[in-house]
Amino acid sequence: MECVFCKIIAGEIPSYRVYEDEGAYAFLDINPIARGHTLVISRAHASKVTELSAQEAAGVALALQKVVRGVERALGPEGLNIFVNQGEVAGQVVPHFHIHVVPRSRGDDVRFVTPTVELSEEEFRELSGAIARAI
Ligand code: 5GP
Ligand code: ZN
């Protein structure tokens, strides 16, 4: 077992745990973007959300809501960013599915700077159709 997050779940690598249940485990990110930056991970090893079973994915979503509620109650952030990096190109470093929960406050220095792409009406129509047909 080479996966660092599987080792954390197994207790082979220490972590600041905040929650666990049969489907998920949550702990503080060791290199936090903000105070309280928490990772919610699937207990099952899979790098992508689509590699989880429906039940496993649902379990992580339920744990996410509990963790977010806990972060809100404990730290009272003004807002949160909740996100997943999937694939190396998207910034995923640890290939074990995890959801970042990052507390935000007005005036913090966290920035998600992204360009936007311009799409024609036809492109919006084609894209929505292609995705909808593939679901
Ligand atoms: P990714 O870039 O894959 O979406 O995020 C991986 C996250 O895992 C990073 O924010 C990184 O700080 C965190 N991380 C990597 N290794 C460890 C570790 O051993 N312990 C903890 N608590 N966090 C880790
Ligand atoms: Zn793993």
Side-chain angles (χ1 to χ4, degrees):
M1 183 176 67
E2 289 304 314
C3 174
V4 59
F5 285 179
C6 282
K7 286 182 176 163
I8 283 176
I9 290 170
E12 292 168 21
I13 293 176
S15 67
Y16 293 100
R17 181 185 58 192
V18 301
Y19 179 73
E20 71 178 310
D21 61 24
E22 62 280 5
Y25 188 95
F27 56 104
L28 296 183
D29 193 299
I30 205 66
N31 196 13
I33 292 172
R35 291 168 65 85
H37 180 174
T38 301
L39 300 174
V40 183
I41 75 179
S42 52
R43 197 171 275 283
H45 178 85
S47 67
K48 302 170 165 190
V49 67
T50 45
E51 290 168 351
L52 296 172
S53 69
Q55 194 184 351
E56 287 164 348
V60 178
L62 292 174
L64 170 69
Q65 191 190 42
K66 287 185 181 170
V67 169
V68 167
R69 198 171 279 139
V71 169
E72 286 177 342
R73 283 183 184 147
L75 307 178
E78 292 174 275
L80 295 159
N81 286 107
I82 299 169
F83 63 92
V84 174
N85 299 324
Q86 182 168 293
E88 201 185 331
V89 70
Q92 185 175 16
V93 173
V94 179
H96 181 129
F97 180 69
H98 54 281
I99 304 171
H100 293 262
V101 177
V102 180
R104 297 297 308 276
S105 55
R106 217 164 289 282
D108 67 22
D109 210 23
V110 179
R111 279 183 299 261
F112 295 92
V113 182
T114 72
T116 56
V117 290
E118 267 192 43
L119 298 176
S120 65
E121 276 210 31
E122 193 189 346
E123 288 172 306
F124 275 114
R125 218 173 14 251
E126 279 173 11
L127 286 164
S128 60
I131 296 167
R133 285 189 298 276
I135 290 174

